[in-house]
Coordinates of all heavy atoms in Angstrom, one line a residue:
T12 N 15.4 -56.8 -26.3 CA 15.3 -57.5 -25.0 C 15.2 -56.4 -23.9 O 15.6 -55.2 -24.1 CB 16.5 -58.3 -24.7 OG1 17.7 -57.5 -24.3 CG2 16.9 -59.2 -25.9
G13 N 14.6 -56.8 -22.8 CA 14.3 -55.8 -21.7 C 13.3 -54.8 -22.3 O 13.2 -53.7 -21.8
G14 N 12.6 -55.2 -23.3 CA 11.6 -54.3 -23.9 C 10.4 -54.0 -23.1 O 9.7 -53.0 -23.4
G15 N 10.2 -54.7 -22.0 CA 9.2 -54.3 -21.0 C 9.7 -53.2 -20.1 O 8.9 -52.6 -19.3
G16 N 10.9 -52.9 -20.1 CA 11.5 -51.9 -19.2 C 11.4 -50.5 -19.9 O 11.0 -50.4 -21.0
E17 N 11.9 -49.5 -19.2 CA 11.7 -48.1 -19.7 C 12.5 -47.8 -21.0 O 12.0 -47.3 -22.0 CB 11.9 -47.1 -18.6 CG 10.8 -47.2 -17.6 CD 10.9 -46.1 -16.5 OE1 10.8 -44.9 -16.8 OE2 11.1 -46.5 -15.4
I18 N 13.8 -48.1 -20.9 CA 14.7 -47.7 -22.1 C 14.3 -48.7 -23.2 O 14.2 -48.3 -24.4 CB 16.2 -47.8 -21.7 CG1 16.5 -46.7 -20.7 CG2 17.0 -47.7 -22.9 CD1 17.9 -46.7 -20.2
G19 N 14.2 -50.0 -22.9 CA 13.8 -51.0 -23.9 C 12.5 -50.6 -24.6 O 12.4 -50.7 -25.9
C36 N 10.8 -58.4 -26.1 CA 11.1 -59.6 -25.3 C 11.5 -59.2 -23.9 O 12.3 -58.2 -23.7 CB 12.2 -60.4 -26.0 SG 11.8 -61.0 -27.6
D37 N 11.1 -59.9 -22.9 CA 11.4 -59.6 -21.5 C 11.1 -60.8 -20.6 O 10.2 -61.6 -21.0 CB 10.6 -58.4 -21.0 CG 11.2 -57.6 -19.9 OD1 11.3 -58.2 -18.8 OD2 11.7 -56.5 -20.1
I38 N 11.8 -60.9 -19.5 CA 11.4 -61.9 -18.6 C 10.1 -61.7 -18.0 O 9.4 -62.6 -17.5 CB 12.5 -62.1 -17.5 CG1 12.4 -63.4 -16.8 CG2 12.5 -60.9 -16.5 CD1 13.7 -63.8 -16.0
K39 N 9.6 -60.4 -18.0 CA 8.3 -60.1 -17.5 C 7.4 -60.0 -18.8 O 7.3 -59.0 -19.5 CB 8.3 -58.7 -16.9 CG 9.1 -58.7 -15.6 CD 9.0 -57.3 -15.0 CE 9.9 -57.2 -13.7 NZ 10.4 -55.8 -13.5
L62 N 11.3 -64.0 -22.5 CA 12.7 -64.4 -22.7 C 13.4 -64.2 -21.5 O 13.4 -63.1 -20.9 CB 13.3 -63.6 -23.9 CG 14.8 -63.6 -24.0 CD1 15.3 -65.0 -24.5 CD2 15.3 -62.5 -25.0
D63 N 14.1 -65.2 -21.0 CA 15.1 -65.1 -19.9 C 16.5 -65.1 -20.6 O 17.0 -66.1 -21.1 CB 15.0 -66.2 -18.9 CG 16.1 -66.1 -17.8 OD1 16.9 -65.2 -17.9 OD2 16.1 -67.0 -16.9
V64 N 17.1 -63.9 -20.6 CA 18.4 -63.8 -21.4 C 19.5 -64.6 -20.8 O 20.5 -64.8 -21.5 CB 18.8 -62.3 -21.5 CG1 17.8 -61.5 -22.3 CG2 19.1 -61.6 -20.2
T65 N 19.4 -65.1 -19.6 CA 20.5 -65.9 -19.0 C 20.4 -67.3 -19.4 O 21.3 -68.1 -19.1 CB 20.4 -65.8 -17.4 OG1 19.2 -66.5 -17.0 CG2 20.4 -64.4 -16.9
N89 N 20.2 -55.6 -27.4 CA 20.4 -56.3 -26.1 C 20.3 -55.2 -25.0 O 21.3 -54.5 -24.7 CB 21.8 -56.9 -26.0 CG 21.8 -58.2 -26.7 OD1 21.0 -59.1 -26.5 ND2 22.8 -58.4 -27.6
C90 N 19.1 -55.0 -24.5 CA 18.8 -54.0 -23.5 C 18.5 -54.5 -22.1 O 18.5 -53.7 -21.2 CB 17.7 -53.1 -24.0 SG 17.5 -51.6 -23.1
A91 N 18.2 -55.8 -22.0 CA 17.8 -56.3 -20.7 C 19.0 -56.1 -19.7 O 20.2 -56.3 -20.1 CB 17.6 -57.8 -20.8
G92 N 18.7 -55.7 -18.5 CA 19.8 -55.4 -17.6 C 19.3 -55.4 -16.2 O 18.1 -55.2 -15.9
L93 N 20.2 -55.6 -15.3 CA 19.9 -55.5 -13.8 C 20.9 -54.5 -13.2 O 22.1 -54.4 -13.5 CB 20.2 -56.8 -13.2 CG 19.2 -57.9 -13.0 CD1 19.7 -59.0 -12.1 CD2 17.8 -57.3 -12.5
F94 N 20.3 -53.7 -12.3 CA 21.1 -52.7 -11.5 C 21.5 -53.4 -10.2 O 20.9 -54.4 -9.8 CB 20.4 -51.5 -11.2 CG 20.1 -50.6 -12.4 CD1 18.9 -50.8 -13.2 CD2 21.0 -49.7 -12.8 CE1 18.7 -50.0 -14.3 CE2 20.8 -48.9 -14.0 CZ 19.6 -49.1 -14.7
V115 N 22.9 -61.6 -16.1 CA 22.0 -60.8 -17.0 C 22.8 -59.9 -17.9 O 22.6 -59.9 -19.1 CB 21.0 -60.0 -16.2 CG1 20.1 -59.2 -17.1 CG2 20.1 -61.0 -15.3
N116 N 23.6 -59.0 -17.3 CA 24.2 -57.9 -18.1 C 25.3 -58.4 -19.1 O 25.4 -57.9 -20.2 CB 24.9 -56.9 -17.2 CG 23.8 -56.2 -16.3 OD1 22.6 -56.4 -16.5 ND2 24.3 -55.5 -15.3
I141 N 23.4 -52.5 -25.2 CA 23.3 -51.3 -24.3 C 24.2 -51.5 -23.1 O 24.0 -52.4 -22.3 CB 21.8 -51.1 -23.8 CG1 20.8 -51.1 -25.0 CG2 21.7 -49.9 -22.9 CD1 21.1 -49.9 -26.0
G142 N 25.3 -50.8 -23.1 CA 26.2 -50.8 -22.0 C 25.9 -49.7 -21.0 O 24.8 -49.5 -20.6
S143 N 26.9 -49.0 -20.6 CA 26.7 -47.8 -19.7 C 28.1 -47.1 -19.6 O 29.1 -47.7 -19.7 CB 26.3 -48.3 -18.3 OG 26.5 -47.2 -17.4
I144 N 28.0 -45.8 -19.4 CA 29.3 -45.1 -19.2 C 30.0 -45.6 -18.0 O 31.2 -45.4 -17.8 CB 29.1 -43.6 -19.2 CG1 28.2 -43.1 -18.1 CG2 28.7 -43.0 -20.6 CD1 28.3 -41.7 -17.8
Y156 N 28.1 -54.0 -11.2 CA 27.4 -53.4 -12.3 C 28.4 -52.8 -13.3 O 28.3 -53.1 -14.5 CB 26.4 -52.3 -11.8 CG 25.6 -51.7 -12.9 CD1 24.5 -52.3 -13.5 CD2 25.9 -50.4 -13.4 CE1 23.8 -51.8 -14.6 CE2 25.2 -49.8 -14.4 CZ 24.2 -50.5 -15.0 OH 23.5 -49.9 -16.1
K160 N 29.2 -54.0 -17.2 CA 29.0 -53.1 -18.3 C 30.4 -52.8 -19.1 O 30.4 -52.7 -20.3 CB 28.4 -51.8 -17.9 CG 26.9 -52.0 -17.4 CD 26.0 -52.4 -18.6 CE 24.6 -52.5 -18.2 NZ 23.7 -52.8 -19.4
P188 N 24.7 -45.3 -22.4 CA 24.0 -44.2 -21.8 C 24.7 -43.6 -20.6 O 25.4 -44.3 -19.8 CB 22.6 -44.8 -21.4 CG 22.6 -46.2 -22.0 CD 24.0 -46.6 -22.2
G189 N 24.4 -42.3 -20.3 CA 24.8 -41.7 -19.0 C 23.7 -42.1 -18.1 O 23.0 -43.1 -18.1
Y190 N 23.4 -41.1 -17.1 CA 22.3 -41.4 -16.1 C 21.0 -41.1 -16.8 O 20.7 -39.9 -17.1 CB 22.5 -40.5 -14.9 CG 23.8 -40.9 -14.1 CD1 25.0 -40.2 -14.3 CD2 23.8 -42.1 -13.3 CE1 26.1 -40.6 -13.6 CE2 24.9 -42.4 -12.7 CZ 26.1 -41.7 -12.8 OH 27.2 -42.1 -12.2
V191 N 20.2 -42.1 -16.9 CA 18.9 -41.9 -17.6 C 17.8 -42.1 -16.5 O 17.8 -43.0 -15.7 CB 18.7 -43.0 -18.7 CG1 17.3 -42.8 -19.4 CG2 19.8 -43.0 -19.6
L192 N 16.9 -41.1 -16.5 CA 15.8 -41.2 -15.5 C 14.8 -42.3 -15.8 O 14.0 -42.2 -16.7 CB 15.1 -39.8 -15.5 CG 14.1 -39.6 -14.4 CD1 14.7 -39.7 -13.1 CD2 13.3 -38.3 -14.6
T193 N 15.0 -43.4 -15.0 CA 14.0 -44.5 -15.0 C 13.7 -44.9 -13.6 O 14.6 -44.6 -12.7 CB 14.5 -45.7 -15.8 OG1 15.6 -46.3 -15.1 CG2 14.9 -45.4 -17.2
A195 N 14.0 -47.8 -12.4 CA 15.1 -48.7 -11.9 C 16.4 -48.0 -11.5 O 17.0 -48.3 -10.5 CB 15.4 -49.7 -13.1
S196 N 16.7 -47.0 -12.3 CA 18.0 -46.3 -12.0 C 17.9 -45.3 -10.8 O 18.8 -45.0 -10.2 CB 18.5 -45.5 -13.2 OG 17.7 -44.5 -13.6
F214 N 20.0 -36.6 -9.2 CA 20.4 -37.2 -10.5 C 20.8 -36.2 -11.5 O 21.8 -36.4 -12.2 CB 19.1 -37.9 -11.0 CG 19.3 -39.3 -11.4 CD1 19.9 -40.2 -10.5 CD2 19.0 -39.8 -12.7 CE1 20.1 -41.5 -10.9 CE2 19.3 -41.1 -13.1 CZ 19.8 -42.0 -12.2
Ligands
LIG1 N1 18.6 -46.0 -16.6 C1 19.9 -45.7 -16.6 O1 20.4 -44.7 -16.0 C2 20.9 -46.5 -17.4 C3 22.1 -46.0 -17.7 C4 23.0 -46.8 -18.4 C5 22.6 -48.0 -18.9 N2 21.4 -48.5 -18.6 C6 21.0 -49.8 -19.1 O2 19.8 -49.7 -19.9 C7 19.1 -51.0 -19.8 C8 17.7 -50.7 -19.4 O3 17.6 -50.0 -18.2 P1 16.3 -49.3 -17.6 O4 16.7 -48.2 -16.7 O5 15.3 -49.1 -18.7 O6 15.8 -50.5 -16.6 P2 14.5 -51.3 -16.5 O7 14.6 -52.1 -15.2 O8 13.3 -50.4 -16.7 O9 14.6 -52.3 -17.7 C9 15.3 -53.5 -17.7 C10 14.5 -54.6 -18.2 O10 15.3 -55.8 -18.3 C11 14.4 -56.9 -17.9 N3 15.2 -58.1 -17.5 C12 15.9 -58.2 -16.3 N4 16.4 -59.4 -16.2 C13 16.1 -60.1 -17.4 C14 16.3 -61.4 -17.9 N5 17.0 -62.3 -17.2 N6 15.8 -61.7 -19.1 C15 15.1 -60.8 -19.8 N7 14.8 -59.6 -19.4 C16 15.3 -59.2 -18.2 C17 13.6 -56.4 -16.8 O11 12.4 -57.1 -16.6 C18 13.3 -54.9 -17.3 O12 12.0 -54.9 -18.0 C19 19.9 -51.8 -18.8 O13 20.7 -52.7 -19.5 C20 20.7 -50.8 -18.0 O14 21.8 -51.4 -17.5 C21 20.5 -47.8 -17.9

Side-chain angles (χ1 to χ4, degrees):
T12 75
E17 291 183 63
I18 292 177
C36 297
D37 204 291
I38 199 162
K39 295 181 186 154
L62 164 69
D63 176 358
V64 296
T65 66
N89 281 310
C90 187
L93 268 192
F94 292 92
V115 176
N116 298 350
I141 306 300
S143 167
I144 58 160
Y156 182 76
K160 292 297 187 176
Y190 295 99
V191 185
L192 186 63
T193 67
S196 64
F214 229 56

